[in-house]
Amino acid sequence: MKLSVWTYEGPPHVGAMRVATGMTDLHYVLHAPQGDTYADLLFTMIERRDHRPPVTYTTFQARDLGSDTADLFKTACEDAYARFQPQAMIVGASCTAELIQDDPGGMAETMGMPIPIVPLELPSYQRKENFGCDETFFQLVKALARPVEKTEAITANLIGPTALGFRHRDDITEVTRHLEEMGVGVNVVGPMGATPEDLTRLGAAHFNVLMYPETAESAARWMERELGLPFTKTVPIGVGATRDFLEEVSGITGLPVRTDESRLRLPWYSASVDSTYLTGKRVFLFGDGTHVAAAARIARDEMGFEVVGLGCYNREQARNIRRVAKDYGVEATITDDYLEVEAAIEAAAPEMILGTQMERHIGKRLGIPCAVISAPVHVQDFPARYAPQMGFEGANVIFDTWVHPLVMGLEEHLLHMFREDFEFHDEAGPSHHAAHAPAPRPAEPAHEGGAAPRPAAPDSPRDISTQEEGPAAAGGIEIVWRPAAEKELKKIPFFVRGKAKRNTEAFARERGVAEIDVDTLYEAKAHYAR
């Protein structure tokens, strides 16, 4: 049902697809009905990959349920091996196929295939996409990685990046650059870009860089225990976290920290007089646990923002996010229901949202600027250009991404302030194209039978400052705004106008004032400024 509306994560077999699609020479045989092939579009349309995922579906139909669907699965496995000749295969069932209990893993083991076949047990109705990534990579590593001789030079494995990950491709390049500056080579990157044969060489590295705990922490802990590979705990997103990450690598390897900070732009701007516009801006953060925790540190310590709310949708990270929220003096929002997230954002009344594609839509409805910091994302957040989130270049990208919505918000506020001006009012065209100013739209004619015309769709985001609270909320007093006071209210920046309106009405109720004029508005402002 959730797939028909908004969902932060797909079922776990989508996570397995992300691992398979990121790797090469690995094939995924998925026991699934015809409708479960929708996930291909995530990679070809949203991520804009030039090839479809390496997945073979059994695509059984309703009429097949009366016969032996197990034969369909065995045939699909044989055909997939004959056609693609992979080094290894993973097999599993989609959430729908799980209900018929055909046991794809058990069937594959009896087929005598000449390559390793890794069965996946992904509980579709208890866990979700990130778990699917983590469990799939863990099972592959557990099945293929073995103790081997270490490389002569100090090397690391970069583990965690997958297909459909938020800027994973560019994060690999940036982290590799930082390691090379310290004299650390890269042994294997996985899942993204690795083959099953590459995974057999994981033990040759001296340590693991855990880039994304959501997708590779189980594998990292298994390799630490079974292969003696320590792993980094710091995710290098932001200036401070990147410096801490390099210190951690130095502690593991014994190498001195060497890095080029001349390309950093964020610290200089944060210390400049121009950045005072950003200081104290109220932000709400939501996304996956790793990116939210990193973004909260950047927001407060490196940009001077005030964190007024944060949370995550993946419950595997809930404990860590609650701990982070406690440090920032806020209550964590742990949910995968976007309506709960919207309610939390509206209650916090932030000036900016840092979230996912879902929060971008929420921001449009509430009239609050939003920058995307985490998956799920849409096509615009898979740029063709180099745009990492990690490392020093990632800090520059984050700075640009976060500042621009606020700068544009200031521009929109100025347009609101001067909306009655002859040049900027709603019906005016572009000032340099005066001859092409849009003509007023004619009213839609009434329908037959005298029915009222259908209202036009709104042209602008929903303004939370205009929501009526109702007589019940007003404590028996129905608040009325005088036209002059409403006009003055519109001069307040749109991202705090809702809070100003609510405060003014609360001030009026406490004093038994039913009509709000300009004097009441400024008296309320002075009262709450004390």
Side-chain angles (χ1 to χ4, degrees):
M1 176 59 191
K2 285 194 173 184
L3 291 176
S4 65
V5 286
W6 276 2
T7 179
Y8 286 98
E9 294 183 87
H13 73 263
V14 174
M17 288 181 67
R18 288 175 55 185
V19 172
T21 305
M23 294 182 64
T24 58
D25 290 330
L26 175 72
H27 201 80
Y28 185 17
V29 177
L30 183 62
H31 199 29
Q34 209 163 20
D36 282 359
T37 59
Y38 68 88
D40 278 20
L41 293 175
L42 298 173
F43 303 93
T44 56
M45 183 184 75
I46 295 179
E47 195 176 14
R48 296 184 290 186
R49 284 185 169 263
D50 58 359
H51 59 277
R52 65 175 296 274
V55 181
T56 294
Y57 301 91
T58 57
T59 56
F60 58 83
Q61 301 178 46
R63 65 172 179 264
D64 298 320
L65 297 179
S67 58
D68 189 2
T69 54
D71 284 341
L72 286 175
F73 175 79
K74 292 178 180 179
T75 301
C77 286
E78 292 168 350
D79 291 347
Y81 175 72
R83 179 180 177 185
F84 299 105
Q85 294 291 304
Q87 294 179 9
M89 290 170 60
I90 52 178
V91 297
S94 73
C95 46
T96 310
E98 186 179 320
L99 298 175
I100 62 177
Q101 300 180 334
D102 271 342
D103 186 20
M107 288 187 290
E109 288 178 359
T110 65
M111 293 177 62
M113 302 286 280
I115 57 172
I117 296 182
V118 180
L120 301 177
E121 296 290 339
L122 303 176
S124 299
Y125 296 95
Q126 290 81 39
R127 309 303 285 270
K128 295 194 175 181
E129 182 180 326
N130 279 320
F131 170 82
C133 287
D134 185 68
E135 178 68 11
T136 300
F137 187 55
F138 166 64
Q139 293 296 339
L140 282 166
V141 170
K142 183 179 175 183
L144 301 174
R146 295 290 181 268
V148 293
E149 186 178 350
K150 301 290 184 186
T151 58
E152 185 175 348
I154 296 177
T155 58
N157 300 316
L158 308 187
I159 60 172
T162 68
L164 210 66
F166 183 57
R167 308 293 172 84
H168 287 195
R169 175 200 67 190
D170 297 340
D171 284 348
I172 292 170
T173 303
E174 186 67 12
V175 172
T176 299
R177 177 176 181 177
H178 279 293
L179 292 175
E180 288 176 346
E181 287 176 344
M182 288 187 62
V184 177
V186 173
N187 179 49
V188 173
V189 178
M192 184 178 283
T195 66
E197 185 178 348
D198 290 334
L199 299 187
T200 65
R201 299 188 292 103
L202 284 167
H206 293 73
F207 67 103
N208 284 324
V209 173
L210 178 57
M211 296 177 66
Y212 310 101
E214 279 87 354
T215 56
E217 186 169 1
S218 295
R221 294 190 180 281
W222 184 87
M223 285 189 276
E224 182 179 49
R225 185 173 62 252
E226 301 295 330
L227 303 180
L229 292 178
F231 65 92
T232 57
K233 312 299 191 296
T234 306
V235 178
I237 299 178
V239 177
T242 298
R243 289 170 176 161
D244 291 348
F245 167 77
L246 297 175
E247 290 290 347
E248 188 177 6
V249 171
S250 176
I252 292 173
T253 63
L255 297 172
V257 174
R258 288 195 297 269
T259 190
D260 176 17
E261 294 197 8
S262 64
R263 53 199 175 105
L264 266 176
R265 299 292 180 271
L266 187 153
W268 168 84
Y269 188 88
S270 294
S272 73
V273 67
D274 292 336
S275 70
T276 55
Y277 170 67
L278 307 177
T279 304
K281 293 295 182 190
R282 295 163 51 84
V283 295
F284 189 102
L285 303 95
F286 195 84
D288 69 54
T290 293
H291 284 89
V292 165
R297 178 178 178 180
I298 298 170
R300 184 186 67 181
D301 300 343
E302 299 175 19
M303 302 284 278
F305 295 159
E306 179 188 355
V307 176
V308 297
L310 60 81
C312 72
Y313 57 78
N314 48 334
R315 296 185 182 276
E316 294 86 356
Q317 293 285 322
R319 180 176 297 178
N320 180 50
I321 289 300
R322 287 194 178 98
R323 184 167 56 248
V324 171
K326 186 176 180 181
D327 291 342
Y328 287 82
V330 298
E331 185 176 349
T333 301
I334 311 297
T335 181
D336 60 358
D337 185 341
Y338 73 93
L339 293 175
E340 291 183 17
V341 178
E342 181 170 359
I345 291 172
E346 194 162 0
E351 297 165 78
M352 184 179 182
I353 304 168
L354 302 174
T356 72
Q357 177 69 14
M358 315 277 247
E359 283 66 52
R360 175 182 277 153
H361 291 299
I362 290 170
K364 286 179 181 177
R365 285 202 301 278
L366 298 181
I368 304 173
C370 176
V372 172
I373 62 166
S374 162
V377 296
H378 213 323
V379 63
Q380 65 265 46
D381 287 301
F382 288 101
R385 69 185 186 281
Y386 183 60
Q389 293 288 285
M390 293 187 176
F392 290 153
E393 191 57 36
N396 293 335
V397 171
I398 288 170
F399 165 71
D400 284 340
T401 305
W402 295 13
V403 168
H404 290 172
L406 285 172
V407 173
M408 295 308 294
L410 176 62
E411 180 180 305
E412 186 168 341
H413 168 49
L414 293 174
L415 291 175
H416 272 279
M417 284 183 64
F418 294 103
R419 67 188 305 166
E420 302 303 326
D421 187 277
F422 75 95
E423 192 175 9
F424 296 108
H425 67 82
D426 290 341
E427 297 300 325
S431 58
H432 57 296
H433 291 157
H436 303 286
R441 290 180 297 177
E444 191 172 321
H447 295 277
E448 292 183 11
R454 183 179 60 192
D459 291 328
S460 57
R462 173 162 64 94
D463 188 346
I464 61 175
S465 71
T466 62
Q467 295 177 12
E468 297 296 333
E469 305 234 5
I477 301 176
E478 185 172 351
I479 299 294
V480 177
W481 282 75
R482 301 295 296 270
E486 286 188 329
K487 186 175 181 180
E488 198 70 15
L489 180 68
K490 289 178 179 178
K491 295 180 181 179
I492 298 173
F494 67 94
F495 38 76
V496 291
R497 192 181 304 142
K499 184 176 181 181
K501 182 176 187 289
R502 290 191 293 272
N503 285 347
T504 304
E505 291 179 350
F507 176 83
R509 289 190 199 102
E510 289 173 2
R511 286 154 181 77
V513 177
E515 288 191 358
I516 296 176
D517 56 18
V518 174
D519 290 338
T520 310
L521 178 62
Y522 280 98
E523 286 171 8
K525 178 183 177 184
H527 171 76
Y528 286 105
R530 294 191 188 115

